[in-house]
Amino acid sequence: MPQQQPPAVSVIMPVLNEERHLRNSVRHILEQEYAGEMEVVIALGPSADRTDEIAAELVAEDPRVHTVPNPTGRTPAALNAAIKASRHPIVVRVDGHGMLSRNYIATAVRLLEETGAANVGGIMHAEGENAWEEAVAAAMTSKIGVGNAAFHTGGQAGPAETVYLGVFRREALEQQGGYNEEFIRAQDWELNFRIREAGGAIWFSPELKVQYRPRPSVRALAKQYKDYGKWRHVVARYHAGSINLRYLAPPTAVCAIAAGLVAGAAVTPWALIVPGGYLAAIVAGSVPAGKGLSPKARLQIPLALATMHMAWGVGFLTSPRSLAKRVIASRRPAVMAPAAGGE
């Protein structure tokens, strides 16, 4: 009996100002060890660099690559545009600075079949190309940096609330109407929440690994993590019960350090024990995180950790309630699959 052909796959990519990594990211897709048919749909935001030019070159070089416009520049709008323009039963999300491991798609398709999940995902494996990025990567993959988040640090395979990027069954995406475009960040969590509400499973596996390129500067990292914190508070208001101690640690640290600095200056130097203790903790935590890195990279890990923690905490604390109200107003109820044999 001839071997059954693997299902065809659509890879969707939201891109904005990705001239540095786009070509390499697409190369990692096209060189996948996967026997099934494949297409790549790149949703192009209004980039200010050579992203569009590079995308046009990729389209000319390989008939599997296509582009669609995303005039808003927003990630969820890009994802929905790419989903609409794609055509295959398996949909793989990849970012313009993500590098798929060689057997990523084949492994994901196998896991979808084995688990019956609607979406599977794995580890966001941060890797830097210079000392600063290596420091950020070390911070992002350490428990002192991100707590016990499995998609950063690894863990056992099993059901999850959400996963990094995701490899979806198309029917699950179409059933839920795609991504909620009000979620500028955290759109993965929100979509996976609806999929789970509808009875679908989200599956994490450490077998799946995507190389991730960290932000290239302190300023860019701070903006990224401030946005993460802001939108995590939106999620907490959107879905009561979704918050835990890991998410509360950064805003608590910001408040404690600010109070310690003010009290230390105005009341007693003893209050400086709090910010001093935090500094000592991240310096100590950076030692195991920097194992094997250059001295220059190791010295920058405390800065990366502090930037991540403080920016996330400030974003969480300053997240406007009006933003959450707008997002809650756009809430989409989970759409249940029709019963078998139903009309």
Side-chain angles (χ1 to χ4, degrees), residues 203-260:
W203 189 266
F204 167 81
S205 174
E207 289 184 77
L208 296 172
K209 185 180 289 188
V210 181
Q211 291 179 11
Y212 169 87
R213 297 292 185 252
R215 296 298 193 268
S217 67
V218 174
R219 182 176 180 178
L221 182 68
K223 182 183 184 306
Q224 177 187 18
Y225 272 77
K226 185 180 179 183
D227 285 346
Y228 284 170
K230 178 173 75 174
W231 281 91
R232 183 62 230 188
H233 205 163
V234 171
V235 166
R237 287 166 169 156
Y238 181 91
H239 177 46
S242 69
I243 205 72
N244 60 38
L245 291 178
R246 174 164 67 90
Y247 298 124
L248 294 176
T252 301
V254 169
C255 292
I257 290 168

Side-chain angles (χ1 to χ4, degrees), residues 75-158:
T75 299
L79 291 165
N80 284 341
I83 291 166
K84 185 176 180 181
S86 66
R87 55 197 173 92
H88 294 322
I90 305 296
V91 179
V92 181
R93 177 185 170 175
V94 183
D95 287 340
H97 46 270
M99 314 295 161
L100 299 185
S101 53
R102 193 75 126 172
N103 63 347
Y104 181 90
I105 291 177
T107 302
V109 170
R110 172 176 60 79
L111 288 170
L112 284 172
E113 183 177 349
E114 290 177 355
T115 65
N119 179 22
V120 299
I123 294 174
M124 177 182 176
H125 184 64
E127 290 186 357
E129 296 181 327
N130 54 46
W132 165 250
E133 291 180 2
E134 288 173 354
V136 176
M140 291 179 73
T141 53
S142 70
K143 291 195 173 181
I144 191 173
V146 295
N148 61 350
F151 71 82
H152 281 295
T153 61
Q156 296 294 316

Side-chain angles (χ1 to χ4, degrees), residues 23-32 98-102 211 213:
R23 176 171 287 279
N24 198 21
S25 182
V26 172
R27 179 178 64 81
H28 278 76
I29 297 167
L30 298 177
E31 293 179 356
Q32 285 287 296
M99 314 295 161
L100 299 185
S101 53
R102 193 75 126 172
Q211 291 179 11
R213 297 292 185 252

Side-chain angles (χ1 to χ4, degrees), residues 36 47 51 62 71 94 97 121-122 124 127 146 162 179 182 202 209 211 219 258 270 289 310-311 324 340:
S47 295
T51 297
D62 196 303
V94 183
H97 46 270
M124 177 182 176
E127 290 186 357
V146 295
T162 191
Y179 291 84
E182 290 293 336
I202 311 300
K209 185 180 289 188
Q211 291 179 11
R219 182 176 180 178
W270 286 104
M310 295 300 102

